[in-house]
PDB file of all heavy atoms in Angstrom:
ATOM      1  N   LEU A 317      -8.851 -16.364 -13.795  1.00 95.00           N
ATOM      2  CA  LEU A 317      -7.523 -16.990 -13.878  1.00 95.00           C
ATOM      3  C   LEU A 317      -6.711 -16.424 -15.040  1.00 95.00           C
ATOM      4  O   LEU A 317      -5.507 -16.167 -14.903  1.00 95.00           O
ATOM      5  CB  LEU A 317      -7.657 -18.505 -14.022  1.00 95.00           C
ATOM      6  CG  LEU A 317      -8.016 -19.274 -12.753  1.00 95.00           C
ATOM      7  CD1 LEU A 317      -8.323 -20.733 -13.068  1.00 95.00           C
ATOM      8  CD2 LEU A 317      -6.892 -19.189 -11.721  1.00 95.00           C
ATOM      9  N   LEU A 318      -7.375 -16.211 -16.187  1.00 95.00           N
ATOM     10  CA  LEU A 318      -6.686 -15.607 -17.333  1.00 95.00           C
ATOM     11  C   LEU A 318      -6.191 -14.202 -16.990  1.00 95.00           C
ATOM     12  O   LEU A 318      -5.072 -13.813 -17.347  1.00 95.00           O
ATOM     13  CB  LEU A 318      -7.619 -15.554 -18.540  1.00 95.00           C
ATOM     14  CG  LEU A 318      -7.902 -16.887 -19.253  1.00 95.00           C
ATOM     15  CD1 LEU A 318      -8.978 -16.700 -20.313  1.00 95.00           C
ATOM     16  CD2 LEU A 318      -6.623 -17.458 -19.872  1.00 95.00           C
ATOM     17  N   MET A 319      -7.002 -13.445 -16.265  1.00 95.00           N
ATOM     18  CA  MET A 319      -6.614 -12.080 -15.881  1.00 95.00           C
ATOM     19  C   MET A 319      -5.473 -12.101 -14.873  1.00 95.00           C
ATOM     20  O   MET A 319      -4.547 -11.288 -14.964  1.00 95.00           O
ATOM     21  CB  MET A 319      -7.827 -11.337 -15.321  1.00 95.00           C
ATOM     22  CG  MET A 319      -8.911 -11.099 -16.356  1.00 95.00           C
ATOM     23  SD  MET A 319     -10.327 -10.200 -15.714  1.00 95.00           S
ATOM     24  CE  MET A 319      -9.686  -8.552 -15.684  1.00 95.00           C
ATOM     25  N   ILE A 320      -5.520 -13.019 -13.927  1.00 95.00           N
ATOM     26  CA  ILE A 320      -4.439 -13.123 -12.932  1.00 95.00           C
ATOM     27  C   ILE A 320      -3.119 -13.503 -13.611  1.00 95.00           C
ATOM     28  O   ILE A 320      -2.062 -12.928 -13.315  1.00 95.00           O
ATOM     29  CB  ILE A 320      -4.814 -14.143 -11.836  1.00 95.00           C
ATOM     30  CG1 ILE A 320      -5.951 -13.587 -10.967  1.00 95.00           C
ATOM     31  CG2 ILE A 320      -3.609 -14.484 -10.966  1.00 95.00           C
ATOM     32  CD1 ILE A 320      -6.561 -14.589 -10.008  1.00 95.00           C
ATOM     33  N   ILE A 321      -3.185 -14.460 -14.550  1.00 96.00           N
ATOM     34  CA  ILE A 321      -1.974 -14.850 -15.296  1.00 96.00           C
ATOM     35  C   ILE A 321      -1.416 -13.664 -16.074  1.00 96.00           C
ATOM     36  O   ILE A 321      -0.204 -13.414 -16.078  1.00 96.00           O
ATOM     37  CB  ILE A 321      -2.287 -16.036 -16.245  1.00 96.00           C
ATOM     38  CG1 ILE A 321      -2.566 -17.302 -15.441  1.00 96.00           C
ATOM     39  CG2 ILE A 321      -1.117 -16.276 -17.216  1.00 96.00           C
ATOM     40  CD1 ILE A 321      -3.173 -18.429 -16.253  1.00 96.00           C
ATOM     41  N   SER A 322      -2.315 -12.893 -16.725  1.00 96.00           N
ATOM     42  CA  SER A 322      -1.864 -11.728 -17.503  1.00 96.00           C
ATOM     43  C   SER A 322      -1.187 -10.685 -16.611  1.00 96.00           C
ATOM     44  O   SER A 322      -0.223 -10.039 -17.026  1.00 96.00           O
ATOM     45  CB  SER A 322      -3.050 -11.101 -18.245  1.00 96.00           C
ATOM     46  OG  SER A 322      -3.940 -10.457 -17.357  1.00 96.00           O
ATOM     47  N   ILE A 323      -1.675 -10.532 -15.378  1.00 96.00           N
ATOM     48  CA  ILE A 323      -1.078  -9.580 -14.428  1.00 96.00           C
ATOM     49  C   ILE A 323       0.388  -9.929 -14.175  1.00 96.00           C
ATOM     50  O   ILE A 323       1.266  -9.063 -14.234  1.00 96.00           O
ATOM     51  CB  ILE A 323      -1.867  -9.577 -13.100  1.00 96.00           C
ATOM     52  CG1 ILE A 323      -3.217  -8.881 -13.277  1.00 96.00           C
ATOM     53  CG2 ILE A 323      -1.061  -8.908 -11.980  1.00 96.00           C
ATOM     54  CD1 ILE A 323      -4.178  -9.088 -12.117  1.00 96.00           C
ATOM     55  N   TYR A 324       0.661 -11.212 -13.926  1.00 96.00           N
ATOM     56  CA  TYR A 324       2.028 -11.625 -13.577  1.00 96.00           C
ATOM     57  C   TYR A 324       2.939 -11.715 -14.801  1.00 96.00           C
ATOM     58  O   TYR A 324       4.161 -11.538 -14.662  1.00 96.00           O
ATOM     59  CB  TYR A 324       1.996 -12.937 -12.795  1.00 96.00           C
ATOM     60  CG  TYR A 324       1.317 -12.778 -11.461  1.00 96.00           C
ATOM     61  CD1 TYR A 324       0.085 -13.388 -11.200  1.00 96.00           C
ATOM     62  CD2 TYR A 324       1.864 -11.967 -10.471  1.00 96.00           C
ATOM     63  CE1 TYR A 324      -0.558 -13.208  -9.993  1.00 96.00           C
ATOM     64  CE2 TYR A 324       1.219 -11.780  -9.263  1.00 96.00           C
ATOM     65  CZ  TYR A 324       0.010 -12.402  -9.022  1.00 96.00           C
ATOM     66  OH  TYR A 324      -0.634 -12.206  -7.825  1.00 96.00           O
ATOM     67  N   VAL A 325       2.365 -11.945 -15.977  1.00 96.00           N
ATOM     68  CA  VAL A 325       3.181 -11.923 -17.206  1.00 96.00           C
ATOM     69  C   VAL A 325       3.708 -10.509 -17.453  1.00 96.00           C
ATOM     70  O   VAL A 325       4.905 -10.302 -17.690  1.00 96.00           O
ATOM     71  CB  VAL A 325       2.351 -12.418 -18.422  1.00 96.00           C
ATOM     72  CG1 VAL A 325       3.081 -12.116 -19.728  1.00 96.00           C
ATOM     73  CG2 VAL A 325       2.078 -13.910 -18.308  1.00 96.00           C
ATOM     74  N   VAL A 326       2.812  -9.529 -17.391  1.00 96.00           N
ATOM     75  CA  VAL A 326       3.209  -8.120 -17.581  1.00 96.00           C
ATOM     76  C   VAL A 326       4.204  -7.710 -16.513  1.00 96.00           C
ATOM     77  O   VAL A 326       5.215  -7.052 -16.794  1.00 96.00           O
ATOM     78  CB  VAL A 326       1.967  -7.199 -17.548  1.00 96.00           C
ATOM     79  CG1 VAL A 326       2.386  -5.727 -17.543  1.00 96.00           C
ATOM     80  CG2 VAL A 326       1.065  -7.475 -18.733  1.00 96.00           C
ATOM     81  N   ARG A 327       3.943  -8.124 -15.285  1.00 96.00           N
ATOM     82  CA  ARG A 327       4.815  -7.744 -14.165  1.00 96.00           C
ATOM     83  C   ARG A 327       6.201  -8.371 -14.304  1.00 96.00           C
ATOM     84  O   ARG A 327       7.220  -7.717 -14.031  1.00 96.00           O
ATOM     85  CB  ARG A 327       4.155  -8.185 -12.858  1.00 96.00           C
ATOM     86  CG  ARG A 327       4.816  -7.602 -11.619  1.00 96.00           C
ATOM     87  CD  ARG A 327       3.903  -7.695 -10.422  1.00 96.00           C
ATOM     88  NE  ARG A 327       4.555  -7.162  -9.233  1.00 96.00           N
ATOM     89  CZ  ARG A 327       4.666  -5.886  -8.951  1.00 96.00           C
ATOM     90  NH1 ARG A 327       4.187  -4.991  -9.781  1.00 96.00           N
ATOM     91  NH2 ARG A 327       5.277  -5.477  -7.858  1.00 96.00           N
ATOM     92  N   PHE A 328       6.251  -9.616 -14.744  1.00 96.00           N
ATOM     93  CA  PHE A 328       7.537 -10.300 -14.920  1.00 96.00           C
ATOM     94  C   PHE A 328       8.397  -9.568 -15.956  1.00 96.00           C
ATOM     95  O   PHE A 328       9.577  -9.283 -15.719  1.00 96.00           O
ATOM     96  CB  PHE A 328       7.305 -11.745 -15.359  1.00 96.00           C
ATOM     97  CG  PHE A 328       8.573 -12.487 -15.717  1.00 96.00           C
ATOM     98  CD1 PHE A 328       9.407 -12.993 -14.729  1.00 96.00           C
ATOM     99  CD2 PHE A 328       8.943 -12.658 -17.045  1.00 96.00           C
ATOM    100  CE1 PHE A 328      10.578 -13.659 -15.055  1.00 96.00           C
ATOM    101  CE2 PHE A 328      10.102 -13.329 -17.384  1.00 96.00           C
ATOM    102  CZ  PHE A 328      10.930 -13.833 -16.386  1.00 96.00           C
ATOM    103  N   VAL A 329       7.802  -9.263 -17.097  1.00 96.00           N
ATOM    104  CA  VAL A 329       8.540  -8.588 -18.172  1.00 96.00           C
ATOM    105  C   VAL A 329       9.031  -7.214 -17.701  1.00 96.00           C
ATOM    106  O   VAL A 329      10.202  -6.850 -17.898  1.00 96.00           O
ATOM    107  CB  VAL A 329       7.656  -8.439 -19.429  1.00 96.00           C
ATOM    108  CG1 VAL A 329       8.357  -7.588 -20.488  1.00 96.00           C
ATOM    109  CG2 VAL A 329       7.302  -9.814 -19.999  1.00 96.00           C
ATOM    110  N   THR A 330       8.155  -6.460 -17.054  1.00 95.00           N
ATOM    111  CA  THR A 330       8.497  -5.097 -16.607  1.00 95.00           C
ATOM    112  C   THR A 330       9.616  -5.114 -15.569  1.00 95.00           C
ATOM    113  O   THR A 330      10.586  -4.342 -15.669  1.00 95.00           O
ATOM    114  CB  THR A 330       7.250  -4.399 -16.023  1.00 95.00           C
ATOM    115  OG1 THR A 330       6.165  -4.524 -16.923  1.00 95.00           O
ATOM    116  CG2 THR A 330       7.532  -2.926 -15.785  1.00 95.00           C
ATOM    117  N   LEU A 331       9.496  -5.987 -14.572  1.00 95.00           N
ATOM    118  CA  LEU A 331      10.521  -6.048 -13.521  1.00 95.00           C
ATOM    119  C   LEU A 331      11.863  -6.533 -14.061  1.00 95.00           C
ATOM    120  O   LEU A 331      12.922  -6.042 -13.632  1.00 95.00           O
ATOM    121  CB  LEU A 331      10.050  -6.965 -12.383  1.00 95.00           C
ATOM    122  CG  LEU A 331       8.925  -6.411 -11.497  1.00 95.00           C
ATOM    123  CD1 LEU A 331       8.449  -7.461 -10.507  1.00 95.00           C
ATOM    124  CD2 LEU A 331       9.379  -5.163 -10.748  1.00 95.00           C
ATOM    125  N   ARG A 332      11.853  -7.488 -15.005  1.00 94.00           N
ATOM    126  CA  ARG A 332      13.115  -7.960 -15.587  1.00 94.00           C
ATOM    127  C   ARG A 332      13.822  -6.841 -16.351  1.00 94.00           C
ATOM    128  O   ARG A 332      15.047  -6.725 -16.308  1.00 94.00           O
ATOM    129  CB  ARG A 332      12.858  -9.142 -16.530  1.00 94.00           C
ATOM    130  CG  ARG A 332      12.686 -10.482 -15.837  1.00 94.00           C
ATOM    131  CD  ARG A 332      13.868 -10.865 -14.970  1.00 94.00           C
ATOM    132  NE  ARG A 332      15.098 -11.002 -15.714  1.00 94.00           N
ATOM    133  CZ  ARG A 332      15.569 -12.123 -16.213  1.00 94.00           C
ATOM    134  NH1 ARG A 332      14.888 -13.244 -16.051  1.00 94.00           N
ATOM    135  NH2 ARG A 332      16.718 -12.146 -16.856  1.00 94.00           N
ATOM    136  N   VAL A 333      13.052  -6.011 -17.038  1.00 94.00           N
ATOM    137  CA  VAL A 333      13.637  -4.897 -17.798  1.00 94.00           C
ATOM    138  C   VAL A 333      14.268  -3.873 -16.867  1.00 94.00           C
ATOM    139  O   VAL A 333      15.393  -3.400 -17.112  1.00 94.00           O
ATOM    140  CB  VAL A 333      12.559  -4.218 -18.682  1.00 94.00           C
ATOM    141  CG1 VAL A 333      13.088  -2.911 -19.273  1.00 94.00           C
ATOM    142  CG2 VAL A 333      12.107  -5.155 -19.793  1.00 94.00           C
ATOM    143  N   PHE A 334      13.584  -3.537 -15.767  1.00 93.00           N
ATOM    144  CA  PHE A 334      14.040  -2.453 -14.890  1.00 93.00           C
ATOM    145  C   PHE A 334      14.921  -2.917 -13.732  1.00 93.00           C
ATOM    146  O   PHE A 334      15.722  -2.144 -13.210  1.00 93.00           O
ATOM    147  CB  PHE A 334      12.843  -1.678 -14.340  1.00 93.00           C
ATOM    148  CG  PHE A 334      12.190  -0.772 -15.342  1.00 93.00           C
ATOM    149  CD1 PHE A 334      11.104  -1.212 -16.085  1.00 93.00           C
ATOM    150  CD2 PHE A 334      12.672   0.502 -15.579  1.00 93.00           C
ATOM    151  CE1 PHE A 334      10.499  -0.388 -17.023  1.00 93.00           C
ATOM    152  CE2 PHE A 334      12.076   1.338 -16.509  1.00 93.00           C
ATOM    153  CZ  PHE A 334      10.998   0.889 -17.244  1.00 93.00           C
ATOM    154  N   TYR A 335      14.782  -4.178 -13.296  1.00 91.00           N
ATOM    155  CA  TYR A 335      15.498  -4.627 -12.100  1.00 91.00           C
ATOM    156  C   TYR A 335      16.324  -5.894 -12.303  1.00 91.00           C
ATOM    157  O   TYR A 335      16.910  -6.401 -11.341  1.00 91.00           O
ATOM    158  CB  TYR A 335      14.505  -4.850 -10.941  1.00 91.00           C
ATOM    159  CG  TYR A 335      13.945  -3.558 -10.411  1.00 91.00           C
ATOM    160  CD1 TYR A 335      12.733  -3.055 -10.886  1.00 91.00           C
ATOM    161  CD2 TYR A 335      14.623  -2.809  -9.452  1.00 91.00           C
ATOM    162  CE1 TYR A 335      12.221  -1.855 -10.417  1.00 91.00           C
ATOM    163  CE2 TYR A 335      14.112  -1.620  -8.970  1.00 91.00           C
ATOM    164  CZ  TYR A 335      12.912  -1.143  -9.455  1.00 91.00           C
ATOM    165  OH  TYR A 335      12.415   0.046  -8.993  1.00 91.00           O
ATOM    166  N   GLY A 336      16.379  -6.419 -13.516  1.00 89.00           N
ATOM    167  CA  GLY A 336      17.202  -7.601 -13.769  1.00 89.00           C
ATOM    168  C   GLY A 336      16.631  -8.851 -13.138  1.00 89.00           C
ATOM    169  O   GLY A 336      15.422  -9.094 -13.180  1.00 89.00           O
ATOM    170  N   LYS A 337      17.517  -9.643 -12.516  1.00 87.00           N
ATOM    171  CA  LYS A 337      17.096 -10.939 -11.966  1.00 87.00           C
ATOM    172  C   LYS A 337      16.572 -10.865 -10.534  1.00 87.00           C
ATOM    173  O   LYS A 337      15.914 -11.799 -10.061  1.00 87.00           O
ATOM    174  CB  LYS A 337      18.271 -11.922 -12.028  1.00 87.00           C
ATOM    175  CG  LYS A 337      18.683 -12.285 -13.454  1.00 87.00           C
ATOM    176  CD  LYS A 337      19.822 -13.284 -13.454  1.00 87.00           C
ATOM    177  CE  LYS A 337      20.217 -13.670 -14.883  1.00 87.00           C
ATOM    178  NZ  LYS A 337      21.327 -14.641 -14.906  1.00 87.00           N
ATOM    179  N   ASP A 338      16.867  -9.782  -9.837  1.00 87.00           N
ATOM    180  CA  ASP A 338      16.444  -9.670  -8.440  1.00 87.00           C
ATOM    181  C   ASP A 338      14.992  -9.171  -8.374  1.00 87.00           C
ATOM    182  O   ASP A 338      14.717  -8.011  -8.056  1.00 87.00           O
ATOM    183  CB  ASP A 338      17.375  -8.709  -7.684  1.00 87.00           C
ATOM    184  CG  ASP A 338      17.060  -8.659  -6.193  1.00 87.00           C
ATOM    185  OD1 ASP A 338      16.413  -9.600  -5.688  1.00 87.00           O
ATOM    186  OD2 ASP A 338      17.451  -7.668  -5.534  1.00 87.00           O
ATOM    187  N   ILE A 339      14.056 -10.062  -8.688  1.00 90.00           N
ATOM    188  CA  ILE A 339      12.649  -9.642  -8.762  1.00 90.00           C
ATOM    189  C   ILE A 339      11.746 -10.454  -7.831  1.00 90.00           C
ATOM    190  O   ILE A 339      10.524 -10.454  -7.970  1.00 90.00           O
ATOM    191  CB  ILE A 339      12.125  -9.741 -10.210  1.00 90.00           C
ATOM    192  CG1 ILE A 339      12.253 -11.163 -10.756  1.00 90.00           C
ATOM    193  CG2 ILE A 339      12.841  -8.757 -11.116  1.00 90.00           C
ATOM    194  CD1 ILE A 339      11.579 -11.364 -12.097  1.00 90.00           C
ATOM    195  N   LEU A 340      12.337 -11.159  -6.877  1.00 88.00           N
ATOM    196  CA  LEU A 340      11.546 -11.926  -5.913  1.00 88.00           C
ATOM    197  C   LEU A 340      11.695 -11.320  -4.522  1.00 88.00           C
ATOM    198  O   LEU A 340      12.802 -10.935  -4.134  1.00 88.00           O
ATOM    199  CB  LEU A 340      11.998 -13.393  -5.894  1.00 88.00           C
ATOM    200  CG  LEU A 340      11.753 -14.190  -7.188  1.00 88.00           C
ATOM    201  CD1 LEU A 340      12.326 -15.585  -7.052  1.00 88.00           C
ATOM    202  CD2 LEU A 340      10.275 -14.267  -7.534  1.00 88.00           C
TER     203      LEU A 340
END
Side-chain angles (χ1 to χ4, degrees):
L317 284 172
L318 286 173
M319 294 181 77
I320 290 170
I321 291 167
S322 71
I323 287 168
Y324 295 112
V325 168
V326 172
R327 192 162 179 79
F328 173 78
V329 173
T330 310
L331 288 174
R332 279 303 299 266
V333 170
F334 285 94
Y335 289 94
K337 294 181 179 180
D338 185 20
I339 58 172
L340 294 176

